[in-house]
């Protein structure tokens, strides 16, 4: 529904526009008359009457046309709003920037063509330039949004590389499909051990969706798991970006990911051994979640035999306590009688908590 105040304002502006057009028409008519009758003596009241009559006529015409024009403008604005609602944010941004660039070019051209003056011809030329080049820039920006976003990504990537080299800032982390489906990256990211912005390109999201739509039950289940992990990442990670930029000349998702990471000085996170090797060949740094899991695997496992020095009594009756070189506590069943001595033990269980690790053992 249109606002009454806005409708009144539009009526006033249209009437003023009509008066302006009428005055311009009167000026043009008088100028043409003087050109064709150079020696004619025009009474003083003629220009006044011409301007007054044409101004009033133009205002009345547009006043009568106001309802139809307002309806048309309202319909056009609704259509434009629906079109904008359907456009992705990156495409809308690209179209607006294209429009602005088109208007800038039109302004520059109008300055170059200043010999047309500021009369009716100059005003017509100005309107044509702004409308034509503005529309051209808008349409080009809308159609070329992917290339534009890719160019911006590469430019920002160059700045990112410079920051990393100069100040040691954390690089962007590009997460591949295998790492998202694996799921462990979510818990690792939550701990805050990995610094920097997590970037998931849109083509990786599309690949996960494609896997989730597979006819193969196993692939479909993996794809759905990947989508669920992706949803949790978007909800829980503040430093997560879904990058709409694409490299249309490339088809393989892994190659696209490596290209983006290389252009932006980023790091690839994966569980794919082959992708890790390809990253090394391409000069792209990579982090393999499997390697991290291997590094964090406990050095002491159930059934391992150790020789330790029992240093004190435990909390429970008969228990003795020993320590590994890294300070990990070992609680030894029936070890109290060996306090102050070395003893051979067998690990019965390993308890891992956020506070650290505790080992339980018995005498051999």
């Amino acid at each position: 529904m249109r606002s009454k105040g806005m409708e009144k304002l539009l009526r006033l502006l249209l009437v003023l526009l009509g008066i302006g057009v009428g005055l311009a028409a009167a000026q043009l008519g008088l100028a043409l008359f003087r050109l064709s009758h150079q020696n004619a003596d025009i009474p003083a009241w003629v220009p006044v009457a011409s301007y007054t009559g044409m101004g009033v006529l133009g205002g009345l015409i547009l006043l009568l046309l106001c309802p139809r024009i307002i309806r048309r403008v309202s319909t056009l604005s609704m259509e434009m709003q629906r079109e904008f609602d359907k456009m992705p944010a990156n495409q809308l941004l690209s179209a607006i920037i294209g429009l602005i660039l088109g208007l800038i070019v039109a302004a520059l051209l109008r300055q170059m063509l200043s010999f047309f003056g500021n009369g009716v011809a100059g005003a017509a030329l100005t309107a044509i330039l702004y409308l034509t080049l503005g529309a051209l820039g808008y349409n080009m920006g809308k159609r070329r949004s992917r290339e534009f976003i890719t160019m911006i990504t590469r430019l920002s990537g160059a700045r990112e590389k410079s920051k990393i080299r100069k100040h040691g800032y954390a690089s962007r982390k590009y997460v591949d499909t295998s790492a998202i489906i694996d799921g462990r990256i979510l818990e690792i990211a939550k701990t805050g051990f990995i610094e920097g912005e997590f970037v998931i390109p849109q083509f990786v999201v599309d690949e996960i969706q494609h896997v989730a739509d597979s006819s193969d039950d196993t692939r479909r289940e993996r794809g759905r798991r990947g989508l669920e992990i992706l949803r949790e990442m978007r909800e829980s990670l503040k430093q997560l970006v879904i990058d709409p930029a694409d490299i249309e000349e490339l088809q393989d998702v892994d190659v696209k990911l490596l290209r983006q990471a290389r252009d932006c000085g980023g790091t690839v996170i994966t569980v794919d051994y082959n992708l890790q090797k390809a990253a090394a060949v391409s000069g792209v740094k990579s982090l393999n979640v499997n390697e991290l899991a291997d590094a964090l695997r406990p050095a002491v496992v159930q059934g391992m035999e150790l020789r330790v020095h029992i240093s004190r009594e435990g909390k429970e009756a008969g228990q003795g306590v020993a320590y590994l070189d890294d300070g990990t506590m070992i609680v030894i069943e029936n070890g109290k009688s060996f306090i102050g001595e070395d003893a051979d033990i067998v690990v019965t269980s390993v308890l891992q908590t956020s506070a650290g690790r505790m080992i339980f053992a018995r005498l051999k």
Side-chain angles (χ1 to χ4, degrees):
M1 183 180 293
R2 295 191 302 269
S3 167
K4 293 294 184 181
M6 181 62 69
E7 188 170 332
K8 290 180 180 179
L9 178 61
L10 284 175
R11 285 178 180 273
L12 175 61
L13 292 176
L14 287 172
V15 170
L16 292 176
L17 176 63
I19 293 173
V21 171
L23 294 176
Q27 181 185 17
L28 178 63
L30 290 172
L32 292 175
F33 182 82
R34 287 192 179 97
L35 286 176
S36 59
H37 303 81
Q38 295 183 0
N39 297 322
D41 185 18
I42 302 177
W45 62 269
V46 172
V48 175
S50 299
Y51 282 118
T52 303
M54 293 301 294
V56 171
L57 180 62
L60 287 174
I61 291 175
L62 280 194
L63 180 62
L64 295 174
L65 294 177
C66 269
R68 181 177 298 180
I69 295 175
I70 291 175
R71 283 196 302 270
R72 182 57 184 165
V73 169
S74 178
T75 303
L76 181 61
S77 65
M78 292 296 294
E79 291 176 355
M80 291 179 64
Q81 184 176 347
R82 284 195 292 269
E83 181 182 359
F84 290 155
D85 289 341
K86 293 178 182 178
M87 291 171 62
N90 62 301
Q91 190 178 32
L92 180 60
L93 175 63
S94 178
I96 292 174
I97 293 177
L99 172 63
I100 293 172
L101 291 177
L103 294 177
I104 291 174
V105 172
L108 293 175
L109 285 176
R110 182 64 184 91
Q111 291 296 321
M112 294 173 61
L113 301 175
S114 57
F115 55 83
F116 277 91
N118 296 320
V120 176
L125 176 63
T126 301
I128 292 172
L129 285 176
Y130 277 94
L131 288 174
T132 303
L133 294 178
L136 179 63
Y138 174 84
N139 289 324
M140 287 186 64
K142 180 181 175 181
R143 290 198 304 268
R144 298 288 184 176
S145 60
R146 285 184 176 271
E147 292 89 340
F148 175 76
I149 296 299
T150 300
M151 180 183 68
I152 295 297
T153 300
R154 290 181 178 177
L155 290 175
S156 64
R159 290 195 296 270
E160 189 81 8
K161 284 183 178 179
S162 177
K163 289 181 180 179
I164 293 170
R165 285 195 300 268
K166 291 182 179 179
H167 308 291
Y169 292 164
S171 62
R172 293 173 177 172
K173 305 301 186 294
Y174 285 80
V175 188
D176 88 321
T177 306
S178 64
I180 296 174
I181 293 177
D182 176 80
R184 288 175 291 178
I185 186 60
L186 173 60
E187 299 303 323
I188 294 172
K190 285 181 179 179
T191 64
F193 272 97
I194 300 180
E195 295 182 338
E197 191 177 56
F198 288 88
V199 180
I200 301 177
Q202 182 61 46
F203 54 79
V204 170
V205 178
D206 294 340
E207 185 181 40
I208 296 175
Q209 182 65 58
H210 180 71
V211 174
D213 294 336
S214 173
S215 58
D216 182 77
D217 292 341
T218 303
R219 281 177 55 82
R220 184 167 61 250
E221 185 63 29
R222 293 178 69 245
R224 289 176 178 175
R225 169 179 167 78
L227 291 176
E228 180 62 24
I229 294 295
L230 183 59
R231 183 189 64 80
E232 293 184 21
M233 291 180 70
R234 298 185 71 169
E235 291 178 354
S236 59
L237 301 182
K238 295 180 179 179
Q239 296 295 323
L240 179 68
V241 174
I242 304 297
D243 189 354
D246 196 2
I247 307 174
E248 295 186 348
E249 65 267 21
L250 300 177
Q251 298 299 322
D252 187 79
V253 172
D254 288 346
V255 176
K256 289 183 180 183
L257 185 70
L258 292 177
R259 174 74 67 83
Q260 277 201 2
R262 186 188 66 189
D263 291 344
C264 296
T267 300
V268 173
I269 297 180
T270 183
V271 297
D272 187 341
Y273 177 80
N274 293 326
L275 178 59
Q276 185 182 19
K277 292 301 180 184
V281 172
S282 303
V284 178
K285 184 179 178 181
S286 63
L287 298 175
N288 194 317
V289 177
N290 289 330
E291 292 183 353
L292 177 62
D294 289 339
L296 295 176
R297 186 169 296 163
V300 178
V301 295
Q302 184 177 356
M304 180 179 289
E305 297 182 1
L306 299 172
R307 185 169 182 81
V308 296
H309 181 78
I310 303 177
S311 59
R312 64 180 181 86
E313 183 180 355
K315 291 183 178 180
E316 303 294 334
Q319 288 181 342
V321 175
Y323 294 92
L324 294 178
D325 293 337
D326 62 2
T328 302
M329 178 188 292
I330 306 175
V331 179
I332 305 164
E333 184 181 355
N334 299 322
K336 180 180 179 180
S337 57
F338 290 89
I339 292 176
E341 301 178 14
D342 292 342
D344 293 322
I345 62 172
V346 177
V347 176
T348 57
S349 64
V350 179
L351 179 62
Q352 182 72 50
T353 68
S354 59
R357 182 176 53 168
M358 181 179 292
I359 301 172
F360 295 90
R362 60 177 174 79
L363 294 171
K364 183 177 178 183

